[in-house]
Amino acid sequence: MVETVKFNVGGKLYECSRDLIANQNPETMLGRLVSEVWQSDPEEAIFIDRDGDLFAHVLNYLRYGSLELPVTVPKSMFERELDYYGVTVEKESITAVTPTAYLESLTIERRLAKKKLQAAEEDQYAFLLAMESHRQFLLAQNGIRSKDYIQIQRKDDLYKEGHSFSSDGLDLFGKYLREFFGLERDKSRHFLNEYGEPTYPPNLGGLKF
């Protein structure tokens, strides 16, 4: 069983291995605090009147010997904490995320999230369009409509003017037609836009009834 030591730093409670503090970092203030000379009750948390949030980063620095600080923690502030605890700082062992780098990471994350949302919206649209295709197919089968292709009018919720399916969206549409409704798209009869791309409604053709 791993022997642990507890700290209460500014009201925040921490628990880590005694080996990390007493054996790996005995020269620090923390190492002296957990020694048998200073700590009379090993089960009692040692109170330290410092920033409790920064102490988590102090422990990680002791564990790994290096640290990349989040953008919310100034490097100078963290180095001041290490100096208080008597921790020797190795050159270039602490790096900090700059506001510019952090903003760039947020921009990339936003761009990826936007692409993911667009893919999900196209996926949903492909399935809804497959459902509508099946509904119109049943109407044709029962003689209620005479057209042998699917038609989406401007008044319909599925109408999307000026949009085009991506190749993935068109493949999903065909997949949903087959797997859920047993229909097959006739690729020789779909409508194309001016760039030769398969279009969204108003007129979506290419279904074998």
Side-chain angles (χ1 to χ4, degrees):
M1 184 176 179
V2 178
E3 188 178 3
T4 62
V5 60
K6 300 174 184 177
F7 295 100
N8 178 349
V9 185
K12 286 185 174 292
L13 297 177
Y14 291 91
E15 186 173 3
C16 62
S17 69
R18 178 177 289 273
D19 177 71
L20 173 67
I21 305 300
N23 298 331
Q24 297 181 39
N25 298 278
E27 76 286 353
T28 65
M29 184 194 79
L30 297 174
R32 294 192 296 273
L33 286 176
V34 303
S35 67
E36 295 180 0
V37 176
W38 287 86
Q39 191 178 14
S40 59
D41 185 1
E43 295 301 317
E44 183 179 352
I46 301 173
F47 179 77
I48 304 175
D49 191 14
R50 298 294 288 187
D51 191 311
D53 294 326
L54 288 178
F55 190 70
H57 300 300
V58 173
L59 289 179
N60 280 333
Y61 185 82
L62 293 178
R63 290 185 181 107
Y64 308 118
S66 62
L67 193 68
E68 182 177 346
L69 291 172
V71 69
T72 54
V73 179
K75 185 178 179 181
S76 59
M77 180 184 296
F78 179 63
E79 289 178 336
R80 185 166 62 244
E81 290 299 294
L82 292 179
D83 181 66
Y84 174 82
Y85 291 112
V87 178
T88 301
V89 179
E90 299 296 331
K91 185 178 180 180
E92 298 181 355
S93 62
I94 302 173
T95 57
V97 179
T98 65
T100 301
Y102 185 68
L103 178 59
E104 183 178 354
S105 69
L106 290 178
T107 302
I108 294 173
E109 184 178 341
R110 180 173 178 266
R111 188 180 302 122
L112 293 175
K114 184 178 180 180
K115 288 183 178 180
K116 186 175 181 180
L117 177 60
Q118 290 173 340
E121 288 176 342
E122 186 164 71
D123 193 342
Q124 181 191 46
Y125 185 81
F127 186 77
L128 290 173
L129 194 57
M131 288 182 64
E132 176 61 18
S133 299
H134 181 245
R135 186 188 73 84
Q136 293 191 27
F137 164 76
L138 293 178
L139 292 176
Q141 286 287 90
N142 289 280
I144 300 175
R145 71 189 302 269
S146 60
K147 296 178 180 178
D148 64 348
Y149 63 89
I150 303 304
Q151 185 175 42
I152 307 297
Q153 300 179 10
R154 287 182 178 273
K155 64 181 180 179
D156 298 328
D157 291 338
L158 288 176
Y159 183 87
K160 286 181 177 289
E161 185 173 6
H163 287 73
S164 296
F165 260 134
S166 68
S167 58
D168 290 340
L170 196 60
D171 289 342
L172 282 171
F173 172 59
K175 174 185 174 182
Y176 292 145
L177 280 175
R178 290 189 302 273
E179 295 183 359
F180 287 89
F181 307 109
L183 296 176
E184 189 70 28
R185 182 172 62 91
D186 184 353
K187 297 181 180 180
S188 66
R189 299 185 56 202
H190 59 259
F191 291 82
L192 304 178
N193 63 17
E194 59 183 307
Y195 303 105
E197 301 169 331
T199 64
Y200 275 131
N203 293 303
L204 178 73
L207 293 180
K208 289 182 179 178
F209 287 170

